[in-house]
Amino acid sequence: MMFWRSVVGKLWITILLLVSFVLFILTVTLLQFFENYHINETRKDMIHTAEKIARVLKEHPGNEEALALEIAWELIDDNEKVTVIKDQNTYLYSPSSDETTHVPISFYTTDKDLSLVFERDKTVDMITSLPNDTNEAGSTQYLMIGVPLHQQEKENGAVFIYQSLAVMEETTKLTSKFILLAAGVAIILTTIFAFFLLTRITSPLRKMREAAFEVARGKFDTKVPILTHDEIGELATAFNQMGRQLKFNMNALSQEKEQLTSILSSMADGVITFNRDGTILITNPPAEIFLRNWYYEQGLASENSDAVPSEVMELFLLAVNTEKEQVGEISAQGRTWVIIVSPLYNKRFIRGAVAVVRDMTEERKLDKMREDFIANVSHELRTPISLLQGYSEAIVDEIAQTDEEKKEMAKVIYDESLRMGRLVNELLDLARMQAGHTLLNLESVELKPYINRVIRKFQGLTKEKGIELSVKLETEERFFRMDPDRIEQVLTNLIDNAIRHVPDSASVEIIGRTDERGLYIEVSDQGSGIPEEDLPFLFERFYKGDKSRTRGVSGTGLGLAIAKNIIDAHRGNISVKSKIGHGTTFSFFIPRNID
Ligand SMILES: Nc1ncnc2c1ncn2[C@@H]1O[C@H](COP(=O)(O)OP(=O)(O)OP(=O)(O)O)[C@@H](O)[C@H]1O
Ligand SMILES: [Mg+2]
């Protein structure tokens, strides 16, 4: 900082100017006073001397005059000169005055002021230069006094006495020199003291400035030392107090902010805050997932992109313009989000909007499943019902001629009604099991005869297609505890599926084994296999590999869903491995000690 612009500089200059001004005025007045005083004193002195001379001359007339003059010359100083005018023609000069400084008599008699001595008979004085003074550098000033002289039988005379003022000027010069010296010393002293005092005042101020910068940088602990108990000390106290208060407030603020942040980041729903012009201000992790998915879908680089999804922007604009909450739905990357945008108020004005983003994929999936379920059930029922209608109509209308034909039609009606009955029973079973109402009739089952009995059911079918169905039981154990009817349902479905999906004269293998954890059963075939993308959905209701929904190779699509529910009720698990063109292996596991 420039010295002149600092407080010290300004105060210093001010004090200096003030002191100089006072000293100047003082000097001028003092000089004036001294000069006047000196002149007055000298004048009194000279008048006195002149009067004395006049008296002496008056009291010693005639032949005593020589003595009187001697006395008179004794009375005057060295630098005083005297002219005594007795009458128009008789006059004397004091011996100290040499020829060159003799003032001609005419000067006295013609001068307007001096001649008053003769005319009015009174004492006169004046400051003047001498007529015969031929000094080059301006004539010297003289103080001249005239006193009337009354001698007996003579005309009015006068005694003039004069003295050079050069001596006095010398004194004045000396005095002013002295005063100037004193002023110089005073200024120097003032400077030193002012500097000392001001530095003491400003050094705590400077410290406070540094501390203020520290506080601005966020170091609220910065303290200013309190050195004095004056206003500056009080300022330091106030400053420290301000720092403490600031720290407290900042802590409170940051705590509040942290709390908000943690609430936001632990929310399950996404939150995006916008300012008035639609720029994203804050997002939380679920909202970031949403944005990332959207960016990916749009082929944008997700990092350092601040683009707002266009649908969200539309909702935002609507919300801001109508000042009403807006709801919308966006899908990206196979997920569905519902977005609710509400305006954000700053007292009475809208300062932006907040969007809540909720991942609704699961809900939408469930909705879809429900719709599919109804569609599937209706579809599965429609075919047998239309068959029933058609054939029964034919019987009623007596379209069938022979008993043979009628029997055949009645057989179809019977078969289809059985199928419908089975479907409805299966659905009921499934619903009951999914509601958790499966009651297991657990009993010890002798494994070998049990499995053989299940297999025997398929003998007709296998023989027809020339399929070899083999059983391998790799266990010493004879009995295992389970619900035989339910497990038979599972086995039947798995074997039925396998037989239906293998070409003629292929083989289907059933392998059973136990270990300390429980029973493992595998049903594997060398059939067509299941496409990889179908595998995750295989155990869902109505899921069928071939989408043509025709009765033929495929059934209703409930078999595996029921199987999974039964195995779940046994607290086991069921899984599938399949390779297209090579075959499929279903395996399930039932643990020991189910209850
Ligand atoms: N061993 C297998 N080989 C090839 N595909 C199979 C096999 N097992 C099941 N699938 C596929 O899985 C689908 C579902 O089987 P699931 O047993 O659940 O129903 P379904 O056999 O069609 O009907 P349901 O068993 O109710 O009569 C079948 O439609 C079929 O496409
Ligand atoms: Mg099946």
Side-chain angles (χ1 to χ4, degrees):
M1 210 204 315
M2 284 267 294
F3 175 73
W4 308 117
R5 288 168 60 190
S6 67
V7 175
V8 176
K10 281 178 191 161
L11 284 177
W12 181 65
I13 291 278
T14 313
I15 291 175
L16 218 61
L17 281 177
L18 207 70
V19 168
S20 308
F21 179 72
V22 168
L23 280 177
F24 174 73
I25 297 279
L26 202 68
T27 312
V28 169
T29 346
L30 268 182
L31 282 179
Q32 199 81 37
F33 172 76
F34 277 135
E35 205 175 301
N36 283 344
Y37 179 77
H38 203 147
I39 288 178
N40 279 342
E41 284 302 298
T42 314
R43 182 184 291 130
K44 262 192 232 161
D45 220 35
M46 281 165 75
I47 290 175
H48 198 67
T49 312
E51 278 172 351
K52 261 191 201 160
I53 292 172
R55 206 166 48 243
V56 168
L57 284 178
K58 189 185 165 189
E59 283 167 10
H60 300 278
N63 44 10
E64 279 179 38
E65 201 183 80
L67 174 69
L69 282 174
E70 213 154 297
I71 295 168
W73 304 148
E74 277 305 310
L75 282 172
I76 57 172
D77 283 343
D78 289 345
N79 50 358
E80 287 169 334
K81 292 171 185 67
V82 177
T83 310
V84 180
I85 301 178
K86 293 181 167 183
D87 51 45
Q88 288 295 330
N89 305 314
T90 343
Y91 49 91
L92 310 157
Y93 292 110
S94 61
S96 57
S97 50
D98 48 48
E99 289 301 312
T100 51
T101 58
H102 279 176
V103 179
I105 296 301
S106 55
F107 178 75
Y108 298 116
T109 49
T110 52
D111 188 276
K112 197 162 89 321
D113 292 321
L114 290 182
S115 60
L116 288 178
V117 176
F118 305 109
E119 289 156 20
R120 299 260 180 90
D121 193 20
K122 68 177 229 186
T123 306
V124 294
D125 66 291
M126 73 181 283
I127 293 172
T128 177
S129 50
L130 295 188
N132 52 356
D133 188 8
T134 50
N135 201 333
E136 292 272 314
S139 48
T140 325
Q141 294 290 307
Y142 283 82
L143 175 61
M144 194 167 275
I145 305 287
V147 184
L149 173 66
H150 300 286
Q151 280 182 314
Q152 289 164 354
E153 307 125 28
K154 292 252 170 84
E155 283 173 46
N156 279 352
V159 175
F160 286 102
I161 182 163
Y162 57 95
Q163 180 180 354
S164 165
L165 287 179
V167 188
M168 239 170 57
E169 268 159 27
E170 204 60 32
T171 325
T172 314
K173 259 189 206 148
L174 221 79
T175 317
S176 47
K177 239 190 212 164
F178 177 73
I179 289 177
L180 280 179
L181 189 76
V185 170
I187 286 175
I188 290 168
L189 281 182
T190 311
T191 305
I192 292 170
F193 279 121
F195 236 89
F196 177 70
L197 180 75
L198 295 173
T199 329
R200 272 197 66 116
I201 290 176
T202 49
S203 86
L205 286 180
R206 228 172 275 139
K207 278 203 189 104
M208 245 175 269
R209 184 189 60 188
E210 249 121 63
F213 279 133
E214 290 284 290
V215 169
R217 258 180 249 127
K219 285 189 191 161
F220 299 112
D221 285 330
T222 318
K223 286 261 181 303
V224 184
I226 301 167
L227 301 172
T228 52
H229 292 285
D230 50 12
E231 287 91 334
I232 292 175
E234 279 167 21
L235 181 61
T237 317
F239 184 91
N240 290 343
Q241 208 167 334
M242 181 192 76
R244 271 199 301 279
Q245 198 62 33
L246 261 179
K247 190 183 171 191
F248 175 78
N249 286 340
M250 289 304 283
N251 276 345
L253 265 179
S254 67
Q255 253 172 27
E256 204 157 301
K257 204 177 154 209
E258 256 162 46
Q259 202 170 357
L260 260 180
T261 316
S262 61
I263 288 175
L264 264 184
S265 59
S266 50
M267 266 175 76
D269 287 347
V271 175
I272 307 174
T273 322
F274 299 95
N275 68 7
R276 240 220 106 112
D277 50 24
T279 319
I280 294 179
L281 295 179
I282 303 170
T283 53
N284 67 346
E288 273 152 26
I289 292 176
F290 161 70
L291 288 175
R292 260 207 303 279
N293 275 303
W294 188 82
Y295 290 143
Y296 188 80
E297 181 129 323
Q298 303 292 312
L300 297 171
S302 67
E303 270 64 285
N304 61 51
S305 172
D306 50 4
V308 182
S310 46
E311 296 92 334
V312 180
M313 200 61 203
E314 272 166 34
L315 291 176
F316 165 79
L317 289 175
L318 264 178
V320 168
N321 292 333
T322 60
E323 302 198 7
K324 288 208 180 79
E325 198 177 279
Q326 301 294 328
V327 183
E329 206 169 308
I330 297 181
S331 319
Q333 294 296 297
R335 303 198 75 83
T336 311
W337 282 276
V338 168
I339 297 178
I340 304 168
V341 183
S342 357
L344 208 59
Y345 288 94
N346 183 7
K347 283 181 190 138
R348 273 175 46 238
F349 303 101
I350 291 188
R351 69 144 195 243
V354 60
V356 177
V357 184
R358 177 171 288 176
D359 189 343
M360 295 288 272
T361 315
E362 288 306 313
E363 284 81 353
R364 292 290 175 268
K365 210 166 122 191
L366 283 177
D367 285 350
K368 172 122 195 339
M369 270 167 73
R370 204 176 50 233
E371 282 161 20
D372 285 357
F373 176 74
I374 293 168
N376 286 326
V377 171
S378 350
H379 177 84
E380 288 299 327
L381 289 175
R382 201 174 58 201
T383 323
I385 286 172
S386 60
L387 280 173
L388 290 184
Q389 278 173 347
Y391 282 103
S392 48
E393 200 180 359
I395 294 171
V396 171
D397 293 351
E398 302 204 340
I399 287 172
Q401 252 88 53
T402 58
D403 271 1
E404 197 76 343
E405 268 179 329
K406 275 187 192 160
K407 221 178 194 170
E408 216 164 89
M409 282 180 182
K411 176 87 169 76
V412 172
I413 292 174
Y414 176 70
D415 279 353
E416 286 305 312
S417 63
L418 274 186
R419 203 165 103 72
M420 261 167 62
R422 205 184 74 222
L423 176 71
V424 171
N425 278 336
E426 277 178 354
L427 275 175
L428 273 176
D429 263 9
L430 203 56
R432 217 176 291 137
M433 278 189 281
Q434 276 177 344
H437 296 311
T438 333
L439 278 178
L440 297 178
N441 291 318
L442 296 175
E443 47 186 87
S444 252
V445 179
E446 199 177 355
L447 286 173
K448 205 167 178 155
Y450 172 75
I451 291 177
N452 283 334
R453 185 166 53 79
V454 175
I455 281 177
R456 222 172 296 132
K457 285 206 290 190
F458 293 97
Q459 255 171 6
L461 208 58
T462 47
K463 213 170 260 167
E464 197 180 294
K465 293 181 85 178
I467 290 169
E468 191 199 327
L469 192 58
S470 61
V471 181
K472 234 195 252 172
L473 213 55
E474 302 164 343
T475 174
E476 300 296 296
E477 248 172 301
R478 281 179 62 196
F479 292 96
F480 196 84
R481 209 171 140 73
M482 57 187 174
D483 184 332
D485 290 343
R486 299 284 189 187
I487 296 298
E488 184 175 339
Q489 221 178 326
V490 175
L491 273 174
T492 310
N493 182 51
L494 291 184
I495 296 167
D496 174 59
N497 284 352
I499 290 173
R500 273 198 280 125
H501 289 97
V502 292
D504 291 355
S505 64
S507 66
V508 174
E509 195 173 30
I510 300 159
I511 303 169
R513 65 190 168 82
T514 55
D515 66 7
E516 70 282 354
R517 292 175 58 215
L519 172 69
Y520 298 84
I521 290 183
E522 274 181 17
V523 178
S524 51
D525 63 63
Q526 269 88 52
S528 52
I530 305 168
E532 202 180 319
E533 63 266 24
D534 283 350
L535 290 176
F537 310 104
L538 225 48
F539 297 98
E540 277 173 22
R541 290 179 302 192
F542 292 113
Y543 192 85
K544 292 185 215 166
D546 54 338
K547 304 287 188 304
S548 57
R549 281 188 174 164
T550 42
R551 184 98 184 128
V553 237
S554 84
T556 55
L558 288 174
L560 283 175
I562 293 171
K564 181 166 167 47
N565 271 292
I566 292 171
I567 300 297
D568 283 349
H570 281 82
R571 298 212 189 102
N573 56 57
I574 182 165
S575 61
V576 60
K577 278 189 296 195
S578 182
K579 207 160 180 205
I580 207 128
H582 284 79
T584 313
T585 304
F586 280 93
S587 43
F588 64 86
F589 159 74
I590 307 170
R592 291 172 196 280
N593 312 319
I594 296 158
D595 31 27

